[in-house]
Amino acid sequence: MNQETKVFKITPDNFSDVVRECADIIRRGGTVAIPTETVYGLGANALDPTAVNRIFHAKGRPADNPLIVHVASVEQLEQLVLEIPSQARSLINAFWPGPLTIILKRTVIVPDITTGGLDTVAVRMPADVVARELIRVSAKPLAAPSANISGRPSPTTAAHVLHDLEGRIDAVIDAGSTCIGVESTVIDMSGEKPVILRPGYISAKKIEEVIGEVDIGYTDHMTDGTEVVRSPGMKYTHYSPSATVLLLEGPHDLVLDKIREMYADFTCRGARVGLLVTSIDLSSLTNDIVYLGGKDEPEEVARNLFLGLRSLDERGVNIILADGSFTHEGVGAAVMNRLRKASEMIIKL
Ligand code: TXA
Ligand code: MG
């Protein structure tokens, strides 16, 4: 594939023109990368199998990994699903528009390719106004996985999208950095009991305040094949830069000491080492360092995680030492989940 990828930098002045032009591309079956509040998504008409196929092709995504369908209204959701159980309605009322993806039984209008052949569909209403206007103006629900090459860290800027997908997609709408930085929480509401399949900005605790107890259906490690994989995306490598990521977990001070020690060790053996850390105290060690945010600021850490992995990768480091000593509360749980999946090895102190 080597097509022209149009870049639309959106401003208040050109907002409606850009949305109209991109809605035309969507209606013609094309692919447009869009900002959402979580990460950039690669959008196409979810009801057009040819358009959805372009997403899989552009990303190199395995065909059995289903996509999230983005809607701009509950009426649009109602066309996609057989029923909306009352607990799912409560979640919608509490968290939409926002970073919560809900899995329900699908209707026949949703093509097999969009759901990887499953009889359920994952749906969310993004909070980002650009995304929602595009869905409204094109009058199509948008299938939109994260706009990265499969397996790479998710994109939080249009530059990340272009790095991975330039020449492979029709357009990208550049609306600056996304504000959350990790993907939506995914909850399966199609069975007897709600199951969280992917942690995200909306924590299990916040969900339980609305609908009572939920099951946790994900692990932070690659499944070994003995375990049932509920969300097809769980069995693939994720979020990985080219550099080898080594994750250090444990008390903050011990982690920082270990990073210093390992940095010295690897550097002495000739490796170029990048640091992804929650303390500015390490900045004297190297310029190949990204400060994620303070250990008690998980929202800041979430915003900087994918950016940090990509930025160290682009500098050409061989090894990334990642500091996992920030709080695992709230969105911290989602950040840990992504970091563990990106890591070759986890060192517990
Ligand atoms: O924040 C987000 O959710 C971003 C933005 C662009 O909206 N999208 C995103 O999509 O992260 P993606 O495709 O990278 O992740 C979708 C996840 C995958 O793990 C997939 O396997 C799971 O949702 N999924 C989708 N449909 C499913 C279904 N019917 N049953 C179980 N899991 C499903
Ligand atoms: Mg993804």
Side-chain angles (χ1 to χ4, degrees), residues 212-347:
E213 203 187 80
V214 298
D215 284 345
I216 300 296
Y218 62 86
T219 60
D220 281 352
H221 303 281
M222 289 279 288
T223 50
D224 61 5
T226 53
E227 192 176 333
V228 180
V229 179
R230 287 171 183 267
S231 185
M234 284 170 18
K235 67 176 190 254
Y236 296 109
T237 323
H238 262 105
Y239 317 115
S240 311
S242 317
T244 300
V245 181
L246 306 179
L247 173 61
L248 294 96
E249 292 183 31
H252 189 60
D253 292 342
L254 290 187
V255 165
L256 297 187
D257 285 346
K258 192 72 182 173
I259 288 178
R260 283 193 190 90
E261 182 192 320
M262 289 178 75
Y263 177 83
D265 216 36
F266 281 122
T267 311
C268 162
R269 284 190 269 150
R272 182 160 169 197
V273 182
L275 305 180
L276 201 57
V277 294
T278 62
S279 167
I280 48 171
D281 292 353
L282 297 179
S283 44
S284 56
L285 283 181
T286 173
N287 286 329
D288 293 329
I289 186 165
V290 171
Y291 176 61
L292 287 171
K295 69 178 176 53
D296 298 314
E297 301 167 348
E299 310 218 334
E300 180 77 26
V301 175
R303 262 194 297 276
N304 291 321
L305 174 71
F306 290 136
L307 182 93
L309 288 171
R310 280 180 178 264
S311 136
L312 291 173
D313 224 17
E314 267 158 40
R315 297 180 217 184
V317 305
N318 317 111
I319 291 174
I320 295 174
L321 299 178
D323 166 0
S325 70
F326 50 87
T327 175
H328 299 179
E329 296 295 307
V331 72
V335 179
M336 272 325 287
N337 166 268
R338 308 306 190 269
L339 252 183
R340 285 174 178 152
K341 282 176 188 270
S343 301
E344 210 93 347
M345 194 197 278
I346 299 172
I347 299 149

Side-chain angles (χ1 to χ4, degrees), residues 38 61 65-66 68 70 103 120 122 124 145-146 183-184 198 231 233:
T38 56
R61 182 173 175 112
N65 193 1
I68 295 174
H70 296 64
I103 293 174
T120 54
R124 89 174 184 98
S146 49
E183 304 85 345
S184 61
R198 180 174 74 182
S231 185

